[in-house]
């Protein structure tokens, strides 16, 4: 499938969680408009609002769009062999973002790190990458925090042994 991050949405984010998450996302992503912004050749646009966080890289540095809604979707509109993703993958709502390791990947991991730390149980975060590949995202998430890191890599990733 390629280098991909998976984040099952177990529940909707609370208003306080979403407010904190979008505050951090704006702080991080609005600084990086040369990497993540509106690509004039596509309909992708950096969006951080009361409903969603959405972004992609630009041009050759884009791949799949990162999309995280505040509210856990109830039903998927896309069908695979006549079934919704929820029918094929019951339980938490299955999100994923294949970045192919492109430059915007570090921002995807930064937002997932922050979301996981702020909510603790709204998302179940996994990845094809081990903790070493999340270090850039961790540094971005913790910019401005003095002393020990405020945010940490999700346990499912940091506890995993490096693949041989």
């Amino acid at each position: 499938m390629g280098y991909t991050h998976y984040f099952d949405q177990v529940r909707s984010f609370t208003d306080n969680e979403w407010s904190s998450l979008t505050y951090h996302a704006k702080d991080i992503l609005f600084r990086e408009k040369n990497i993540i912004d509106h690509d004039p050749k596509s309909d992708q646009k950096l969006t951080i609002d009361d409903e969603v966080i959405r972004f992609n890289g630009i041009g050759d540095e884009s791949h799949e769009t990162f999309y995280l809604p505040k509210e856990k979707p109830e039903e998927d509109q896309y069908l695979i062999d006549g079934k919704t993703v929820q029918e094929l993958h019951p339980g938490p709502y299955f999100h994923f973002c294949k970045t192919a390791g492109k430059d915007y990947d570090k921002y995807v991991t930064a937002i997932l790190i922050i979301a996981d730390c702020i909510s603790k149980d709204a998302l179940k975060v996994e990845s094809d990458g081990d903790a070493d590949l999340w270090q850039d995202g961790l540094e971005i998430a913790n910019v401005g925090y003095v002393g020990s890191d405020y945010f940490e890599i999700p346990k499912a990733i940091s506890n995993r042994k490096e693949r041989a």
Side-chain angles (χ1 to χ4, degrees):
M1 184 173 202
Y3 184 66
T4 305
H5 305 294
Y6 312 92
F7 40 108
D8 290 350
Q9 193 164 2
V10 177
R11 63 168 174 82
S12 297
F13 289 90
T14 67
D15 290 343
N16 286 341
E17 290 168 344
W18 192 253
S19 177
S20 182
L21 178 56
T22 57
Y23 169 83
H24 290 289
K26 288 175 184 176
D27 183 48
I28 291 167
L29 299 176
F30 287 164
R31 284 184 280 181
E32 302 299 337
K33 289 189 161 262
N34 59 328
I35 297 170
I36 300 164
D37 199 1
H38 180 66
D39 184 346
K41 296 179 185 172
S42 84
D43 62 356
Q44 300 300 313
K45 184 176 182 195
L46 170 61
T47 305
I48 303 170
D49 60 25
D50 292 340
E51 297 176 8
V52 69
I53 298 171
R54 180 183 67 207
F55 62 93
N56 201 332
I58 296 176
D60 291 341
E61 285 301 314
S62 67
H63 208 69
E64 291 182 353
T65 300
F66 176 83
Y67 179 87
L68 179 62
K70 177 186 179 198
E71 301 295 328
K72 176 186 170 194
E74 292 302 318
E75 188 172 322
D76 198 325
Q77 63 187 2
Y78 301 104
L79 299 178
I80 301 169
D81 296 329
K83 295 185 177 183
T84 67
V85 172
Q86 282 302 101
E87 290 172 317
L88 296 170
H89 183 79
Y93 191 87
F94 180 69
H95 296 286
F96 66 93
C97 181
K98 185 189 314 183
T99 66
K102 294 185 177 181
D103 202 29
Y104 80 107
D105 177 76
K106 59 189 167 193
Y107 301 100
V108 170
T109 57
I111 299 305
L112 289 173
I113 286 167
I114 293 167
D116 183 67
C117 288
I118 286 172
S119 71
K120 291 295 181 204
D121 66 346
L123 298 178
K124 290 164 76 173
V125 180
E126 252 301 343
S127 177
D128 291 340
D130 60 28
D132 288 344
L133 293 173
W134 282 60
Q135 290 303 310
D136 287 343
L138 181 63
E139 288 177 23
I140 290 167
N142 282 308
V143 165
Y145 291 99
V146 179
S148 63
D149 291 340
Y150 183 74
F151 296 112
E152 299 175 340
I153 293 173
K155 296 279 188 246
I157 295 157
S158 64
N159 289 341
R160 183 168 8 114
K161 301 287 184 205
E162 188 173 331
R163 293 182 181 172

